[in-house]
Amino acid sequence: MSKFEQALAHKDFVLTVELDPPRGVALAPLLELASRLAPRVDALVVSDNRGAMPRLSGLAAGARLAAQGAEVILTLTCRDMNRLALTSQMLAAGAEGIGNLLLVSGDYVSLGDHPGAKPVYDLDSVQALGLAVTLASGRDLAGQELDGAPRFCLGAVVAAQSDPLPPQLIKLKKKAQAGARFIVTQPLTGLEELQGFCRQTATLGIKLLAGLEVADPGQRQGVVGLFKEIRGSGLVAGAHLSMPAAQDDLPALLDACGL
Amino acid sequence: MIVAQRKDFEQIKAAAADFRKVLVVGCGTCVAVCLTGGEKEAGILAAQLDLASQIQGEDKSFAVACVERQCDLEFLDELAETVLDYDALLSLACGAGIQLLAERYPRVPVLAGVDTTFIGINRDVGLWEERCRACRACVLTTTGGICPVSLCPKGMLNGPCGGTRQGKCETDPERDCAWSLIYERLAGLDRLENLSAIVAPRDHGARSQPGRQVHPAYLRRYSAHE
Ligand code: SF4
Ligand code: SF4
């Protein structure tokens, strides 16, 4: 069982933060930031070409973070990898001591900065969860036996603001069935949004992590307030914090949240 | 039907620059319906090319021929005499038609005058919409007759991504989310249970080689001759 999975099972409220690998080879600042964040959170979620914008591989960054003792949740996106590539990334993650995966479809390429790229989507997020479960069972998708099976705590994402919501919930249910142990919401805008969503998902029995994002510095106070409300509400199993434009300020955000 | 759009005139002109006598070959089927490569459009293109070459003082000639279906050898034979008089064939058929024309007349350069865009429907006069990617594993029975492979940019099979807002796709607020359409339709038919099972990864193996489809009667005919 990964440390994060244990935290999910035993803690009232788990906390994760999102880290983008550098757009370049300079890993040192990320490693330094991570060393300050890791003791304060339950896991570091390493993104994978977030927003369809290429960066240093999440696997490479995640492996370095795991090597320095951090609990890592590696994001893998179906947009950029077919089932072969996802298989090898998952095996590498397992070998590098990364025990948690967050499997996502990925924003479409036209929303990023390489809009002419060929989108892959060989698998969708439900099928990618199935792949990870298959690998954990000791086989690959072709049924061949693995020389050492990885073990993962699996997660997926959901967008509470999807409209219409029912088809999103149908897929969420499949994600839970396919092996997702935790679900991270896309950034929330208010407590009502979360309340409404939780009413519709109560029966699914999923561990929900409320996504909270400081998209620009002006939003920080609002996000801190929302974090406290959500934490107090008892609606979710934890929170996932991100500051994509200024991740160096994550420690200060944790301070402001009283963490 | 197959939908195509005509290439930019300058591009066509540049492709034809090396040849003195060019036969513009239209096709009377799909590309005629989408107002791109039928007899009328072939005539217009030949006239434009002719005019452009006259303005530049070139001694060139552009003629027109139109066959019923360029993707069918039966209709290409009628050009056998005509093509002998030309230095190049400028085809306005879809990509399949252009290739069969090239195959049928191996000694004549063939130029593409259109970009083949998709398999689609005739929504209105002058409006066509993509509906099929010829994926060889049709899921329309379960998805309420709405194709997620061609209408969802991500080709999602197990439900929508997280990008749907007001029923529109994350890639374009003007465009319906395929999965919203599928959901609405199945909800209306009271058949949402169609969506409850996890759909396994698609078998792309069949797509890694050019398609070939043989009718049983074809096999019988040729095995009888052996
Ligand atoms: S699922 Fe879509 S792309 Fe595939 S054959 Fe059916 S209509 Fe065509
Ligand atoms: S919003 Fe809908 S149509 Fe667009 S990519 Fe997502 S699921 Fe597909």
Side-chain angles (χ1 to χ4, degrees):
Chain A
M1 216 191 234
S2 74
K3 276 194 222 159
F4 179 68
E5 197 170 3
Q6 287 172 27
L8 261 186
H10 301 299
K11 288 174 97 168
D12 288 341
F13 197 85
V14 298
L15 187 68
T16 62
V17 290
E18 180 151 327
L19 292 176
D20 288 337
R23 201 189 276 270
V25 298
L27 260 176
L30 178 76
L31 299 178
E32 190 277 324
L33 174 64
S35 68
R36 285 188 287 137
L37 287 167
R40 304 178 65 182
V41 299
D42 294 295
L44 305 173
V45 177
V46 180
S47 66
D48 181 20
N49 295 344
R50 187 178 51 74
M53 295 182 277
R55 292 170 171 274
L56 182 143
S57 123
L59 172 64
R64 292 286 291 275
L65 296 179
Q68 66 181 29
E71 181 67 4
V72 171
I73 301 177
L74 177 67
T75 311
L76 294 176
T77 165
C78 299
R79 175 195 59 232
D80 302 336
M81 288 178 277
N82 70 5
R83 64 193 82 176
L84 277 74
L86 284 169
T87 299
S88 59
Q89 292 257 322
M90 288 178 186
L91 294 178
E96 296 288 356
I98 296 171
N100 315 283
L101 300 178
L102 183 66
L103 301 173
V104 303
S105 322
D107 294 334
Y108 198 66
V109 287
S110 60
L111 305 182
D113 54 10
H114 286 57
K118 181 178 183 185
V120 181
Y121 302 108
D122 178 28
L123 304 183
D124 62 26
S125 48
V126 174
Q127 295 161 343
L129 287 161
L131 165 60
V133 169
T134 306
L135 296 177
S137 79
R139 305 216 168 247
D140 65 15
L141 280 186
Q144 292 157 131
E145 207 169 315
L146 300 175
D147 197 358
R151 174 126 182 45
F152 297 120
C153 172
L154 299 174
V157 297
V158 74
Q161 51 279 90
S162 285
D163 167 27
L165 190 59
Q168 181 79 179
L169 297 178
I170 290 174
K171 188 154 184 194
L172 177 63
K173 203 166 161 186
K174 291 187 185 182
K175 288 177 180 176
Q177 273 170 16
R181 293 283 155 268
F182 65 99
I183 301 285
V184 183
T185 74
Q186 282 184 13
L188 296 164
T189 51
L191 186 62
E192 306 71 48
E193 192 175 58
L194 181 63
Q195 284 165 333
F197 183 71
C198 287
R199 270 196 294 277
Q200 311 226 38
T201 54
T203 56
L204 293 180
I206 44 169
K207 299 255 183 191
L208 203 62
L209 269 58
L212 289 168
E213 178 177 290
V214 181
D216 71 71
Q219 295 174 347
R220 196 168 109 178
Q221 263 330 97
V223 168
V224 169
L226 183 55
F227 171 81
K228 290 179 175 163
E229 274 184 284
I230 288 176
R231 182 166 194 172
S233 72
L235 283 170
V236 290
H240 170 70
L241 302 175
S242 60
M243 296 186 78
Q247 65 184 15
D248 289 340
D249 293 339
L250 277 167
L253 180 66
L254 296 185
D255 293 342
C257 290
L259 295 161
Chain B
M1 63 183 276
I2 309 279
V3 182
Q5 59 193 11
R6 211 191 76 182
K7 281 182 182 284
D8 171 63
F9 181 70
E10 291 304 320
Q11 221 182 326
I12 296 178
K13 204 174 80 177
D18 292 346
F19 307 101
R20 208 179 67 78
K21 293 187 76 186
V22 176
L23 182 65
V24 181
V25 188
C27 173
T29 309
C30 305
V31 288
V33 178
C34 66
L35 311 178
T36 298
E39 188 161 23
K40 186 163 156 236
E41 293 78 27
I44 292 170
L45 178 60
Q48 283 177 304
L49 286 165
D50 204 39
L51 194 63
S53 73
Q54 281 180 32
I55 290 170
Q56 285 175 9
E58 296 166 339
D59 175 26
K60 290 191 168 204
S61 75
F62 298 90
V64 176
C66 190
V67 297
E68 191 167 333
R69 278 205 303 279
Q70 267 186 51
C71 59
D72 199 329
L73 275 181
E74 189 187 326
F75 297 105
L76 293 184
D77 286 344
E78 66 194 58
L79 297 175
E81 296 277 302
T82 320
V83 298
L84 299 175
D85 295 335
Y86 293 89
D87 304 323
L89 305 176
L90 170 52
S91 171
L92 297 188
C94 74
I98 300 172
Q99 291 182 63
L100 194 59
L101 184 69
E103 182 186 316
R104 174 67 183 78
Y105 297 108
R107 275 195 275 275
V108 196
V110 168
L111 318 174
V114 309
D115 293 312
T116 303
T117 41
F118 51 75
I119 301 177
I121 56 154
N122 208 353
R123 168 65 66 203
D124 199 349
V125 180
L127 179 61
W128 301 274
E129 293 174 356
E130 181 169 17
R131 282 296 183 277
C132 178
R133 294 261 165 104
C135 77
R136 304 189 200 188
C138 195
V139 298
L140 290 174
T141 303
T142 45
T143 57
I146 296 164
C147 170
V149 178
S150 47
L151 298 184
C152 165
K154 300 179 187 175
M156 300 263 143
L157 293 181
N158 276 298
C161 72
T164 322
R165 298 294 178 271
Q166 282 147 11
K168 301 296 177 187
C169 176
E170 73 171 25
T171 64
D172 181 354
E174 298 287 301
R175 162 176 176 168
D176 290 328
C177 165
W179 277 98
S180 298
L181 298 176
I182 292 168
Y183 173 79
E184 297 300 339
R185 170 137 174 129
L186 290 175
L189 293 169
D190 200 17
R191 294 186 69 84
L192 281 174
E193 73 278 4
N194 279 11
L195 302 182
S196 51
I198 291 178
V199 179
R202 181 173 283 278
D203 178 4
H204 288 282
R207 285 209 62 84
S208 56
Q209 42 181 285
R212 205 181 148 118
Q213 180 174 318
V214 189
H215 194 280
Y218 180 95
L219 282 179
R220 280 196 298 277
R221 174 161 37 123
Y222 289 98
S223 47
H225 285 186
E226 271 167 17

